[in-house]
């Protein structure tokens, strides 16, 4: 590439068209790339400088467009889109595959005893709580008390759901018991995410016009955002928690697995990881990250405010979170 890099590249938006599923999938394959977890603080800060300088109208000499986009995705993988804060490492979307493959693999392996079910559901919901808080939408602070209450409520709900389903499954064929962790995770997501984001449901999340101008906060937008995230999270769990149990049920009948039962856990974790590498970005891509809704779907007072301040605006946009 010759000459200076153009300053007209819109890096506020993803590189690929977010109006199509394929464009969103390409975007999230970059965002959830597990290799980003291994990047050093220096690399992250360098990417941050490149992105912030470019947004301010300055491009590092010799910077290419591909390098700019790489820096943008490294920046997006580690810094919150609304607050700009560096996110806790295991709460980043790039940590989803390595963390979930380990936890889910163990949940699917150690499901036969009550203590094991309780322990791994607790571990999973603790991890989910970190992810949900780290990737919350909006820039409103949440207090330690609110965070603690949400965590306890969500974790208790998940464990009770898992134990209830385990009790029911004990009367059914063994293969059904293998799907208890999936059913528990699906039910727990419906509890965990709204609890961890309850402040958004109460006070709303920022909504903007198509140019990014902030128009106010909407609880209705928060409801839509949370529903979309719940659907995506359950979708992520389907391949990872539905396919390996069927394969493992067949493998465990084979002589080599009976001879080496220690292989059960690593094989299960590997199968889950293979599913998650594809399921995580594809399910994140089900809905646009920059979600939208009609002004008529907002609260009456916010509708009136928008009509007065921006009468030409018919659609508002917001970060749905992950």
């Amino acid at each position: 590439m010759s000459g200076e890099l153009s300053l007209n590249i819109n890096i506020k938006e993803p590189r690929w068209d977010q109006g199509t599923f394929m464009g969103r999938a390409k975007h999230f394959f970059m965002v959830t790339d597990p290799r980003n977890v291994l990047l050093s603080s220096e690399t992250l800060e360098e990417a941050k400088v490149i992105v912030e300088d470019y947004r301010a109208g300055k491009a590092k000499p010799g910077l290419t467009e591909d390098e700019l986009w790489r820096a943008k995705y490294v920046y997006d993988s580690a810094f919150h889109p609304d607050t700009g804060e560096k996110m806790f490492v295991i709460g980043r979307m790039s940590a989803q595959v390595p963390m979930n493959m380990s936890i889910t693999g163990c949940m699917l392996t150690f499901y036969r005893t009550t203590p094991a079910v309780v322990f791994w559901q607790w571990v999973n919901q603790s991890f989910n709580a970190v992810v949900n808080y780290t990737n919350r939408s909006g820039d409103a602070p949440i207090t330690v008390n609110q965070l603690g209450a949400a965590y306890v409520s969500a974790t208790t709900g998940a464990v009770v759901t898992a134990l209830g389903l385990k009790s029911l499954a004990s009367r059914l064929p063994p293969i059904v018991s293998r799907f208890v962790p999936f059913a528990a995770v699906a039910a727990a997501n419906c509890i965990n995410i709204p609890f961890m984001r309850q402040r958004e449901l109460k006070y709303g999340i920022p909504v903007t016009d198509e140019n990014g101008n902030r128009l106010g906060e909407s609880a209705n937008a928060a409801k839509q955002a949370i529903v979309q995230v719940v659907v995506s999270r359950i979708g992520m769990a389907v391949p990872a928690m539905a396919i390996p149990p069927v394969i493992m049920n067949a493998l465990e009948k084979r002589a080599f697995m009976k001879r080496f039962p220690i292989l059960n856990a690593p094989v299960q974790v590997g199968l889950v990881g293979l599913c998650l590498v594809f399921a995580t970005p594809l399910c994140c891509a089900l809905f646009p990250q920059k979600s939208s809704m009609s002004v008529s779907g907002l609260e009456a007072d916010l509708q009136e405010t928008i009509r007065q301040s921006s009468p030409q605006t018919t659609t508002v946009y917001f970060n749905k979170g992950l």
Side-chain angles (χ1 to χ4, degrees), residues 30-291:
M30 293 289 289
V31 171
T32 62
D33 186 343
R35 294 173 298 179
N36 288 338
V37 174
L38 304 175
L39 297 176
S40 66
S41 295
E42 291 75 16
T43 302
L44 297 178
E45 290 301 325
E46 182 182 351
K48 182 180 181 181
V49 169
I50 290 173
V51 169
E52 291 182 345
D53 281 355
Y54 188 85
R55 287 174 178 171
K58 297 181 290 182
K60 187 174 76 171
L63 184 71
T64 67
E65 184 173 347
D66 283 342
E67 289 171 342
L68 174 64
W69 282 112
R70 173 60 183 157
K72 179 249 190 321
Y73 276 103
V74 168
Y75 174 84
D76 286 352
S77 76
F79 296 90
H80 193 279
D82 289 333
T83 65
E85 296 174 355
K86 184 184 287 187
M87 295 183 285
F88 186 49
V89 65
I90 67 169
R92 300 172 191 169
M93 291 309 292
S94 52
Q96 283 284 293
V97 171
M99 291 298 297
N100 269 326
M101 68 182 284
S102 303
I103 295 171
T104 304
C106 289
M107 286 171 66
L108 293 174
T109 302
F110 308 110
Y111 66 91
R112 291 183 174 89
T113 67
T114 297
V117 169
V118 171
F119 176 75
W120 287 108
Q121 283 295 328
W122 169 73
V123 170
N124 187 52
Q125 291 310 313
S126 298
F127 170 64
N128 283 344
V130 172
V131 174
N132 294 337
Y133 176 71
T134 303
N135 293 282
R136 68 199 182 282
S137 178
D139 50 13
I142 182 169
T143 67
V144 174
N145 287 341
Q146 290 170 326
L147 184 60
Y151 168 67
V152 170
S153 301
T155 305
T156 301
V159 170
V160 169
T161 301
L163 292 178
L165 291 170
K166 181 178 181 296
S167 176
L168 289 173
S170 64
R171 307 184 191 96
L172 299 171
I175 183 65
V176 176
S177 296
R178 288 183 176 274
F179 290 93
V180 166
F182 167 66
V185 165
N189 271 324
C190 297
I191 300 169
N192 194 319
I193 295 171
F195 265 118
M196 293 305 295
R197 296 176 62 173
Q198 61 184 294
R199 185 178 176 85
E200 297 173 31
L201 293 170
K202 185 175 181 180
Y203 298 106
I205 57 177
V207 294
T208 68
D209 61 19
E210 60 182 359
N211 297 315
N213 300 309
R214 191 162 174 162
L215 301 172
E217 289 76 36
S218 170
N220 288 357
K223 291 174 188 174
Q224 178 175 308
I226 289 171
V227 167
Q228 291 178 347
V229 171
V230 168
V231 171
S232 293
R233 291 288 184 84
I234 292 174
M236 282 181 210
V238 170
M241 303 193 80
I243 296 173
V246 175
I247 297 174
M248 291 304 298
N249 198 54
L251 287 178
E252 285 179 1
K253 296 172 183 175
R254 304 279 180 174
F256 76 93
M257 287 297 282
K258 290 179 179 178
R259 193 181 309 155
F260 303 106
I262 196 171
L263 292 175
N264 193 307
V267 170
Q268 189 108 250
V269 169
L271 288 171
V272 170
L274 183 62
C275 292
L276 285 173
V277 164
F278 297 98
T280 300
L282 293 177
C283 289
C284 282
L286 289 176
F287 305 100
Q289 183 63 35
K290 185 179 179 181
S291 197

Side-chain angles (χ1 to χ4, degrees), residues 1-7 59-63:
M1 182 176 178
S2 60
E4 292 295 318
L5 181 66
S6 168
L7 295 175
K60 187 174 76 171
L63 184 71

